[in-house]
Every structure is written in structure tokens, then in C-alpha cells.
Amino acid sequence: MELEDKLYDEITTLCSEGDELVDNSKYDDALTKYRNALNLLPKPVEQWEAAVWIYTAIGDTYFWKKEYETAIHYLFNAYNCPDGFSNPFINMRLGQCFFEANNSSKATEYLLHAYMLNGKEIFEHEDEKYFKHLSSNVKL
């Protein structure tokens, strides 16, 4: 099933606006855009591929706000949507959130899954502490 073109365009426009707001550190305004996009999806929202990237954007925004538990909630929503579990970015960001929330075993689990899906390059633009954590807990 695919979204109607008009609806898809409306959702992608809201998400693009949200992305621009995140780039300018206007996280709460970005969250409003992403939630508006999410609310446009027909129920159940989890059936749509768009839900993966909207939930990921929301979780990622909470990561930047340093609200890691909330980020984990939304990232798990993304993880449980179509193909979310095999998305290296979702796995990496989950691992990072667990790391920041002081859950070392869950951090290792999701960081390793990201590494297995995409290799070391998934960590290329991230703080080196995450790859150090992974490599100190798992023989790579």
C-alpha cells in the first residue's frame, strides 16, 4: 500500500521543515512538525514506511535534546515499523541512547547490531565514545 501523492507530499514537506528546524537547534518546533506529519498517516500508522522515518526523526530530535528515555520510546516505535529493525541508523541511535542512559548491555546490543548492518562507517560522524564502547565490549 502506498500513500496518496498529495498526502505523501504534505508529510514530506512537514518532515523537511522539521529537519531544517533541527539543523537550527529549534527542537521543539521540529517536534511539532514531525508530530503533525505523523498525525496525517492513516491508522494504524505502523503499517506505513513513512512512520519509520517520522518516528526516527522524532527519536533523533529527542536524542539531540538529551532526553534519552523519550528518544528510546520513539526509536523503538520506528524499530517496530516495516524494516525498522534492519535500519542501521535506528540501531545506532538506540545504542547511543542506551549508552547515555547508562544501560551498557543494551547499548552494546544495539551498537553491535548497527555495526553488523553497516560496518564501522555508521560511526564515522558520531562521537568516538560510542565505537570505543562497542569495541571494548565486543571483539570486532
Side-chain angles (χ1 to χ4, degrees), residues 3 5 7-19 22 30-31 33-38 40-41 45-61 74-75 77-84 87 89-90:
L3 294 170
D5 289 343
L7 180 58
Y8 179 82
D9 291 344
E10 201 172 340
I11 289 169
T12 56
T13 297
L14 285 166
C15 288
S16 293
E17 291 169 358
D19 294 346
V22 167
L31 288 168
K33 295 287 185 181
Y34 296 139
R35 285 193 185 103
N36 289 342
L38 190 63
L40 291 175
L41 288 175
V45 298
E46 294 78 16
Q47 72 180 331
W48 302 102
E49 284 183 35
V52 175
W53 37 272
I54 297 170
Y55 279 132
T56 301
I58 294 171
D60 189 45
T61 303
Y74 283 101
L75 290 165
N77 285 346
Y79 188 89
N80 291 315
C81 288
D83 299 322
N87 182 304
F89 180 82
I90 294 170

Side-chain angles (χ1 to χ4, degrees), residues 60-129:
D60 189 45
T61 303
Y62 278 111
F63 173 81
W64 291 114
K65 286 180 60 137
K66 299 182 179 359
E67 295 180 25
Y68 303 114
E69 295 296 333
T70 305
I72 289 167
H73 167 78
Y74 283 101
L75 290 165
F76 269 127
N77 285 346
Y79 188 89
N80 291 315
C81 288
D83 299 322
F85 70 94
S86 62
N87 182 304
F89 180 82
I90 294 170
N91 281 277
M92 179 193 64
R93 193 60 92 215
L94 275 168
Q96 292 169 319
C97 288
F98 279 119
F99 176 90
E100 298 298 343
N102 296 311
N103 187 332
S104 180
S105 64
K106 286 287 187 188
T108 301
E109 176 184 343
Y110 288 97
L111 292 172
L112 178 59
H113 197 191
Y115 178 83
M116 289 169 39
L117 289 166
N118 206 64
K120 188 176 179 183
E121 54 271 8
I122 189 72
F123 298 95
E124 201 169 271
H125 301 290
E126 303 299 320
D127 189 311
E128 65 183 39
K129 67 184 176 183

